[in-house]
Amino acid sequence: MTEQVKKLLDKSNLIDPFNRHITYLRLSVTDRCDLRCTYCMPEKMTFLNKKEVLTFEEMYKLCSGFIHLGIKKIRITGGEPLVRKGIMDFFEMLKPHLSSDLEELTLTTNGTQLHKYADELYSNGVKRLNVSLDTLDKKKFKQITRLGNLQDVLLGIQAAKDANLKIKINCVALKNINDNEIDDFINWCIKNDFDLTFIETMPMGDIGNENRLDHFLSLDELKKNISSKFGLEDISFSSGGPAKYTRIKGSDIKLGFITPLSHNFCSSCNRIRVDATGVLHQCLGQSNSLDFRKILRDPNSTDADLFENIRRSIKQKPEKHSFAYDFSKQRIEGKIDRHMSLTGG
Ligand code: SAM
Ligand code: SF4
């Protein structure tokens, strides 16, 4: 057997230098978005040129390589994945992998286009999705997203529910913006049977005149408040991701807390991210990366080269991110230049 064939057949697991098994890929299919959330991007955002973004054929080849080497779960994200033209064709391309090595295909969306796509997503193998929603107040929704209509998202969520998609709501906790409606928000999730995860704002990319620190809310505080009002019980559930889960007493919903700034959650990290240009980021909060677009567009590059580079990228995964919240100086440390909308949440 030649060395090249051996490399092609080798399906040994993807294990990083800190003995973490990497089984989860988040793929950003576009950096574009129909909203302009204040904590995510500036009002006048500059987007990538089309030729910089991987084609769906290139993304498919990359995903297939990762699945061959042990990736079990793929989350499609962005920017807003559902605004990319042809996105349902891409889900359809990936669907056959669900009958072999891929265990889950899922999506993170802002929900504005869900009313159009919920049924098709389900028939293409998506069974669960994360919808980002930070408020149930239509004025605040406009204030946070600059361009959005709350009603569109609520209609989308209803369509997803009707299509039997299991929904988790992601909510960025924002001091002096949505912290006074947390109880209503939780009650709404209980009523609708949606799991709910709160997220701390991360210092990723320039956001123009906005200051993230002004609205940074430590989830430790939030959790204490929720616990005193609703009663929380710790549960052993783990999605393999960064959220720590609890259950609200007397309900079935799981409540998660993603605390990149107030607590480092990296020891159990099982994921890598590929941005819309094909650059793999080994860690959301570090600048280590490997450019797969170059490899995918090189006419001399073989499948064996692709596999070798996937393995190499995992060997370069850093131990942890460098975000931190310096409480004494009231400062966020470790800012990353790229936006979350490029890398995908
Ligand atoms: N557009 C889709 C959406 O909003 O769900 C997918 C991409 S968005 C970048 C993914 C997630 O990242 C969303 O839940 C969003 O709230 C979150 N996010 C964006 N910028 C963030 C930041 N700077 N800190 C924390 N979360 C952020
Ligand atoms: Fe768009 Fe999602 Fe960023 Fe909001 S958080 S601007 S919806 S990419």
Side-chain angles (χ1 to χ4, degrees):
M1 198 185 293
T2 65
E3 223 18 66
Q4 196 176 34
V5 173
K6 258 196 229 159
K7 275 181 192 161
L8 278 170
L9 294 178
D10 179 7
K11 289 184 78 171
S12 51
N13 289 339
L14 296 173
I15 302 176
D16 81 357
F18 305 95
N19 212 25
R20 295 171 296 196
H21 287 242
I22 308 304
T23 54
Y24 183 2
L25 167 68
R26 288 192 169 202
L27 173 67
S28 168
V29 293
T30 179
D31 66 325
R32 289 176 189 257
C33 189
D34 52 349
L35 304 183
R36 298 285 184 277
C37 302
T38 48
Y39 51 78
C40 180
M41 56 176 77
E43 191 161 13
K44 289 198 168 45
M45 177 71 174
T46 309
F47 294 107
L48 296 163
N49 290 322
K50 200 174 163 202
K51 62 178 187 313
E52 295 176 88
V53 174
L54 292 190
T55 63
F56 283 139
E57 286 69 28
E58 288 166 337
M59 287 182 181
Y60 176 75
K61 189 168 180 193
L62 192 55
C63 288
S64 301
F66 272 106
I67 295 166
H68 180 78
L69 293 179
I71 289 294
K72 300 285 178 216
K73 173 171 171 179
I74 296 183
R75 177 175 296 281
I76 303 299
T77 175
E80 174 45 41
L82 297 184
V83 300
R84 181 156 174 189
K85 210 168 150 210
I87 184 68
M88 286 304 123
D89 300 337
F90 184 54
F91 277 101
E92 208 176 328
M93 282 163 92
L94 290 173
K95 186 182 176 186
H97 280 301
L98 286 167
S99 319
S100 54
D101 290 338
L102 184 64
E103 289 169 6
E104 186 170 31
L105 178 59
T106 180
L107 166 77
T108 300
T109 174
N110 64 24
T112 60
Q113 313 294 313
L114 261 182
H115 61 285
K116 280 191 248 166
Y117 293 126
D119 288 327
E120 249 181 296
L121 282 167
Y122 190 85
S123 60
N124 281 325
V126 176
K127 300 295 172 238
R128 295 191 308 141
L129 46 82
N130 290 357
V131 182
S132 306
L133 180 63
D134 306 322
T135 178
L136 290 169
D137 176 306
K138 72 178 185 200
K139 269 199 195 135
K140 271 194 225 171
F141 186 82
K142 182 72 93 189
Q143 181 197 345
I144 296 170
T145 65
R146 294 190 180 107
L147 301 177
N149 264 317
L150 177 63
Q151 197 53 24
D152 294 343
V153 177
L154 295 179
L155 282 175
I157 290 175
Q158 188 57 47
K161 220 176 149 185
D162 294 344
N164 277 328
L165 288 157
K166 174 81 183 143
I167 298 166
K168 177 164 83 74
I169 302 290
N170 279 349
C171 173
V172 176
L174 299 162
K175 189 163 76 183
N176 298 332
I177 299 185
N178 61 7
D179 48 351
N180 62 350
E181 58 168 313
I182 297 296
D183 299 0
D184 292 345
F185 210 81
I186 293 176
N187 282 323
W188 178 74
C189 287
I190 294 175
K191 192 172 125 211
N192 285 288
D193 194 27
F194 299 150
D195 290 336
L196 169 63
T197 297
F198 289 109
I199 309 173
E200 280 174 355
T201 24
M202 289 175 250
M204 298 199 59
D206 173 51
I207 52 171
N209 298 329
E210 299 284 329
N211 181 355
R212 288 193 180 98
L213 199 55
D214 289 347
H215 300 296
F216 177 78
L217 182 66
S218 161
L219 295 189
D220 279 347
E221 256 172 69
L222 187 75
K223 193 173 173 184
K224 260 189 230 148
N225 280 338
I226 297 173
S227 188
S228 67
K229 287 185 188 149
F230 289 85
L232 297 178
E233 47 197 12
D234 283 331
I235 51 175
S236 57
F237 175 83
S238 164
S239 63
K244 294 268 175 292
Y245 284 95
T246 59
R247 191 185 303 285
I248 295 183
K249 283 189 183 150
S251 90
D252 287 334
I253 73 159
K254 288 191 278 300
L255 190 62
F257 296 88
I258 301 187
T259 54
L261 279 95
S262 54
H263 297 288
N264 194 304
F265 49 57
C266 305
S267 60
S268 59
C269 183
N270 64 351
R271 65 193 55 193
I272 32 133
R273 298 161 198 267
V274 173
D275 74 25
T277 69
V279 171
L280 179 140
H281 301 272
Q282 284 97 346
C283 172
L284 186 63
Q286 292 281 4
S287 38
N288 308 45
S289 64
L290 198 148
D291 183 358
F292 277 95
R293 186 177 64 190
K294 232 193 227 162
I295 298 158
L296 289 163
R297 293 188 179 173
D298 177 353
N300 298 317
S301 170
T302 62
D303 284 353
D305 294 329
L306 180 65
F307 292 168
E308 198 174 316
N309 277 292
I310 290 175
R311 288 202 189 85
R312 186 154 71 91
S313 68
I314 302 300
K315 294 275 172 260
Q316 294 165 352
K317 189 166 162 65
E319 187 179 7
K320 54 186 174 183
H321 66 66
S322 56
F323 303 139
Y325 188 69
D326 185 332
F327 287 91
S328 60
K329 296 187 187 130
Q330 288 290 298
R331 206 168 59 188
I332 296 177
E333 310 275 4
K335 183 169 178 284
I336 293 289
D337 287 340
R338 56 175 200 273
H339 288 92
M340 191 87 160
S341 55
L342 171 68
T343 328

